[in-house]
Amino acid sequence: MMQFLYLAFIKVVEWLLPLVAKLSSNPKLKAFTEGRKKTFEHLQLPSHPERYWFHCASLGEFEQARPVMESIKLSNPESSLVISFFSPSGYDQKKDYALAEAVFYLPLDTPYNAKRLIALLQPKAVFFIKYEIWYFMLKALFKKNIPVYLISANFRKGQYIFSFWGAWLFKLLKGYKTIFLQNKTSFDLLQSKGLTNIELNGDTRYDRVFDNSQKVKENANIAIFKNNIPLLILGSSWPKEESILLDYLKGNITSPLRIIIAPHDISDKHIREIQKQFEDFKPVLYTEFNSPESSDLMILNTIGHLASAYNYADIAFIGGGFTGQLHNILEPLSFGAPVVTGPIHHKFPEAEMARQAGVLFEIHSSDDLAKILSTINYQALKPNAENFIMDRKGATQSILNTLN
């Protein structure tokens, strides 16, 4: 019954999407629709005995898959990688990924699309990331006896899949060759449900951020701006975090910090809004910076410089903690910067582990932020933050050991 309703819903979406996209002014919706029209024509690929298919919902899942993809390619240069995305944000940023034979939008989950896609790709193995469960796609893969793996998966009590109504999806978990789990909570939960195809091996993102921290390039502009003064980076911020930072600065005019705001939305419109919001503090744009005396506040209005900026951070205030959509806290921790964020992060096990390790601090207001910034010892916490990442590396190698 649920399968029938699901397919009916997908069919309605398939019929309505082109019309809605045509009428909509949302560029992501247009990309979501137009990109899928071209999926099959872009996948006229020659047969390959060592083709591995990775499906990533978006950019964050790509970063989780990346250490495994690159390790497979390193150990077997003749192998082929194909990567599918659900969201335009992931596809747009990685459509030219050098190691991939093809990057494409995953078509809508219908039996016809699943059968056609698998026939085109003929993958040796398939990897879904974190929480991806596509009913008809998985059923078709299982029927073909193609091994399917779920990487860095995270499950919680109360999820739909464990309800009476989600039983039809839960059954699919038994079909995965192996489910690689991030944390013991997930492992114990699935084990209590009778699953045996599970392994507790951690989160591949720890490997990814550690490797990045070892390869990051120096950033002369950020180094000059920091000027040996403690640096706070507001990373991947949303308006809520920007508002809290503004209130903090208004109440602490003589704050002994240099500050970089790296907003999630770097559109010209939002950058201008931040400039207006913080105009009393004479913010300077990264692209216009020329002197450490020009301002104590910089706005990072570019893509690709945040990692190198974290290399100079003493503490990071990470966005998304007030909406339940927490951004990457592991990247600043890998550079030894403790993290501040909002209190809504129960879906992110790394946040709770970081809090318990004493390298993540929850705030609700600018007063909380002021208290933390005035009391913590950045330098004393630096090795703790670095060790938090070091102690949790190794998930990638564990997965490869199982595959081999």
Side-chain angles (χ1 to χ4, degrees), residues 97-237:
Y97 181 54
L99 294 186
E101 181 185 13
V103 179
F104 59 97
Y105 281 105
L106 189 67
L108 293 178
D109 190 23
T110 67
Y112 173 75
N113 285 343
K115 183 179 179 180
R116 187 179 178 191
L117 185 61
I118 293 166
L120 284 171
L121 296 180
Q122 299 180 357
K124 181 177 181 179
V126 180
F127 300 84
F128 284 63
I129 316 301
K130 195 173 181 179
Y131 47 59
E132 293 294 286
I133 303 176
W134 292 71
Y135 183 79
F136 291 110
M137 201 68 67
L138 286 171
K139 292 283 282 188
L141 288 166
F142 296 159
K143 186 176 181 179
K144 289 280 188 180
N145 293 316
I146 297 171
V148 186
Y149 301 89
L150 188 59
I151 292 177
S152 296
N154 176 34
F155 293 92
R156 306 179 311 280
K157 288 181 179 179
Q159 283 179 292
Y160 172 77
I161 196 171
F162 300 118
S163 70
F164 171 80
W165 300 106
W168 64 290
L169 288 176
F170 176 80
K171 291 177 182 178
L172 290 174
L173 297 183
K174 299 176 182 178
Y176 284 101
K177 180 75 172 178
T178 308
I179 299 174
F180 298 101
L181 295 160
Q182 285 190 32
N183 53 70
K184 194 171 186 300
T185 300
S186 296
F187 183 88
D188 291 344
L189 179 58
L190 293 192
Q191 190 176 56
S192 73
K193 302 293 183 181
L195 292 185
T196 58
N197 57 336
I198 56 178
E199 286 191 17
L200 173 59
N201 77 330
D203 189 341
T204 53
R205 287 180 301 166
Y206 290 95
D207 300 318
R208 176 67 181 154
V209 297
F210 175 78
D211 289 344
N212 280 351
S213 71
Q214 302 305 297
K215 299 173 184 175
V216 72
K217 297 178 181 179
E218 293 184 5
N219 187 316
N221 274 2
I222 302 296
I224 293 170
F225 173 76
K226 177 178 170 67
N227 199 28
N228 294 318
I229 297 170
L231 174 63
L232 164 70
I233 294 183
L234 176 56
S236 302
S237 63

Side-chain angles (χ1 to χ4, degrees), residues 4-17:
F4 173 79
L5 292 175
Y6 172 69
L7 180 58
F9 171 75
I10 294 295
K11 287 292 186 181
V12 170
V13 170
E14 189 174 42
W15 180 74
L16 280 178
L17 260 181

Side-chain angles (χ1 to χ4, degrees), residues 29 60 69 81 136 194 237 239 247 317 350:
L29 181 58
M69 290 191 288
L81 303 177
F136 291 110
S237 63
D247 288 344
F317 180 11
E350 69 274 17

